[in-house]
Amino acid sequence: QVRLAESGGDSVESGGSLRLSCQVSGAPLGRYCMAWFRQSPGNEREGIAGAINYRSTRYSESVEGRFTYSQSNAESALYLQMTDLKPEDTAMYFCAAVENIRGSCSGSLRKYDYDVWGQGTQVTVSS
């Protein structure tokens, strides 16, 4: 069973940057479709970056142009580089996985399309 462990969350000022990591263990990363989500108190879990066939990424409008998804199968990890952070980016950030049984990854940002989740890492952005 694949396991996910996020790290890199921190408290930063508005305009700052952070890089989140998600370590994948228990199975080869290349067998899974991966994505990043976030959730703030009282809100639904929001998909923000989903890998499309390991070649490109689908981003939500809320982070497009500021966040960058990357993945290293050799390191068995995925990353989320976040720049120009805003107070509204404050949330718990999660990586998510679903086994790639179809041979392709759509970059879905729907939480119901993923069935493995990490524990999350907290990002707090102050104004």
Side-chain angles (χ1 to χ4, degrees):
Q1 175 70 7
V2 68
R3 296 179 296 278
L4 309 177
E6 303 91 339
S7 61
D10 205 346
S11 295
V12 297
E13 293 186 350
S14 183
S17 299
L18 279 176
R19 187 191 194 212
L20 304 184
S21 300
C22 174
Q23 191 66 46
V24 179
S25 60
L29 174 56
R31 283 174 46 186
Y32 291 84
C33 298
M34 307 297 298
W36 283 97
F37 287 75
R38 66 185 182 185
Q39 187 169 19
S40 54
N43 291 317
E44 291 286 326
R45 191 165 293 192
E46 172 193 18
I48 56 174
I52 304 173
N53 292 334
Y54 315 113
R55 298 176 183 176
S56 61
T57 308
R58 187 187 313 280
Y59 294 99
S60 68
E61 288 186 9
S62 59
V63 307
E64 178 90 51
R66 300 187 298 122
F67 291 11
T68 303
Y69 173 105
S70 61
Q71 178 173 325
S72 170
N73 288 2
E75 296 177 354
S76 197
L78 56 153
Y79 307 97
L80 188 68
Q81 179 67 46
M82 306 186 295
T83 62
D84 190 24
L85 284 161
K86 304 175 181 181
E88 51 263 42
D89 294 318
T90 294
M92 185 72 78
Y93 283 71
F94 301 88
C95 56
V98 62
E99 191 168 2
N100 183 6
I101 59 176
R102 298 180 180 179
S104 65
C105 296
S106 68
S108 173
L109 299 181
R110 302 191 320 158
K111 60 183 179 181
Y112 301 109
D113 287 338
Y114 299 88
D115 56 10
V116 182
W117 297 84
Q119 293 298 308
T121 187
Q122 178 68 38
V123 172
T124 303
V125 185
S126 59
S127 57

